[in-house]
Amino acid sequence: MINRQTLFQECYLLFPKQEDICYIVDKIKVRKIFEGQVEFDQQEIEILKQFEAYLISKRFMPKWTEPQLLRMLYATKFKFEKTYAAIQAYIQWRKQAFPLKENQETTKFLSSGSIYLHGRDNRFRPIIVVNAIKLAAQKNIDITLDSMTIFLEHVLTNYMLPGQIENWVVVMDLGGLGITSLPRQQLQRVLDYLQNNYRSRMHKCYVINCPSTITFSWNIVKGFLEEITVRKISFEKSSIPTGLFEHCHKSQVEQKYGGISKNIENNFWPPCEISQEYFLQTDKITDILISKQQYNQLYQFGKLSKNRLCKELLEDIRQSLQNTNTDQHLDKKLKEEVPDPEEEQQVINDLIKNNQGYYKPRVEESFEMPFCETAIQIPLNFIAHKKMLKY
């Protein structure tokens, strides 16, 4: 059974349109979806071939898929040396961060509300809320990063679908706190951690409750971020992330941020479903979700071989097809078993015609017995009719 707190059938029926997969902004190509059923264009395929040749020349070929390599290439603006270094750093980080360090300290952090999940937008992208004041109160940066790894890996595993849902939305509540109120060294570690280890994951970031000095603070922070990332961030001095409601139903957002969902005071971890209303009034659902029948067709044609599958959707369709096939089989069997008089007569005529001169209907030998007469008919060269062979 699908856990509606994580993934539900509608998530599997969402296949992004091309403009949500890859687009160009100010001559900069941006790709948001890399995996699953997504196909790369000729230019991307050629770059991948060149980069793989570059890695071979370095005698370094990690067991990465093409989508993983391309994600890194996009994040580093297709600079091979920089991508090579980024992959090495990522592999080293994975060795240090995994297995995940779940303990009392990380559980305490996740339960504090410093970072938590609250709803999805109208493309089922999970919404991550960051409380900067609570985050700044965390003194141990290692515990902070270990906890964030547990949180983000949970989101990737349980709320994302390769090729369908690969991005998240961030609402960062500064609470009037200046970005520079965080120790600069710790701030840089957090930003580097997110940018290096979770590349091309952010759809939008709404920074709210900004202080009047945000311009100065932002100019400092921008130096730590990639240009593509910078373009995804917007600022609001109020507590309302205005742009969020252009792609998110208000039932998915807390009241303090302009939504209609109750504010969360505790129970931040683990996440739970907030509302089953995801679409805006202006959304045409048939343009966003495919039908169950279309999903089955994609599966039958092998188009979902790289996607995570929804067994419940396939079982529903299989059951329907099985019922249909059973009915058709029964109808066919009944038709075969009920003899057609005209067809029977034709079989008899064919038998007589094909065996004429060999099959003698007269009694060849008879034996006198006290109470009965036994007649034995002897077919000399009998030819079976094809209708008799099926029995």
Side-chain angles (χ1 to χ4, degrees), residues 232-273:
K232 298 176 182 179
I233 301 174
S234 61
F235 298 89
E236 295 279 356
K237 291 184 178 181
S238 72
S239 61
I240 311 299
T242 308
L244 176 62
F245 297 109
E246 295 177 4
H247 58 100
C248 181
H249 193 277
K250 286 196 170 186
S251 66
Q252 301 293 327
V253 182
E254 294 172 85
Q255 293 175 356
K256 62 183 178 182
Y257 298 137
I260 58 176
S261 177
K262 290 183 179 180
N263 295 334
I264 296 183
E265 303 298 338
N266 46 43
N267 298 323
F268 294 101
W269 180 259
C272 63
E273 186 178 44

Side-chain angles (χ1 to χ4, degrees), residues 4 7-17 19-20 120-125 161 163-165 276-280 282-296 298 313:
R4 277 210 62 100
L7 292 167
F8 37 91
Q9 289 189 1
E10 291 87 345
C11 293
Y12 293 88
L13 297 176
L14 171 72
F15 287 86
K17 300 291 187 291
E19 59 268 22
D20 293 323
R120 295 176 180 267
D121 72 357
N122 64 346
R123 295 300 185 274
F124 304 133
R125 290 177 283 242
L161 283 176
Q164 297 170 272
I165 307 168
Q276 293 186 16
E277 292 186 81
Y278 296 97
F279 301 112
L280 306 176
T282 54
D283 287 334
K284 188 176 180 181
I285 298 178
T286 53
D287 288 342
I288 300 173
L289 305 181
I290 65 172
S291 67
K292 292 182 180 181
Q293 289 72 23
Q294 289 172 313
Y295 186 82
N296 179 60
L298 288 174
L313 278 174

Side-chain angles (χ1 to χ4, degrees), residues 5-6 110 115-120 125-130 151-152 154-155 158-159 168-169 252 254 264 267-274:
Q5 293 183 357
T6 55
L110 293 169
I115 180 171
Y116 59 97
L117 202 64
H118 198 284
R120 295 176 180 267
R125 290 177 283 242
I127 302 170
I128 298 172
V129 181
V130 180
F151 175 82
L152 294 175
H154 177 81
V155 173
N158 298 287
Y159 290 81
W168 51 53
V169 178
Q252 301 293 327
E254 294 172 85
I264 296 183
N267 298 323
F268 294 101
W269 180 259
C272 63
E273 186 178 44
I274 302 302

Side-chain angles (χ1 to χ4, degrees), residues 333 335-340 343-344 385-391:
K333 191 169 180 62
K335 287 179 181 178
E336 288 178 348
E337 291 179 352
V338 175
D340 181 357
E343 190 175 358
E344 272 195 327
H385 190 276
K386 63 181 180 180
K387 285 289 185 180
M388 299 179 69
L389 295 177
K390 73 173 184 177
Y391 303 104

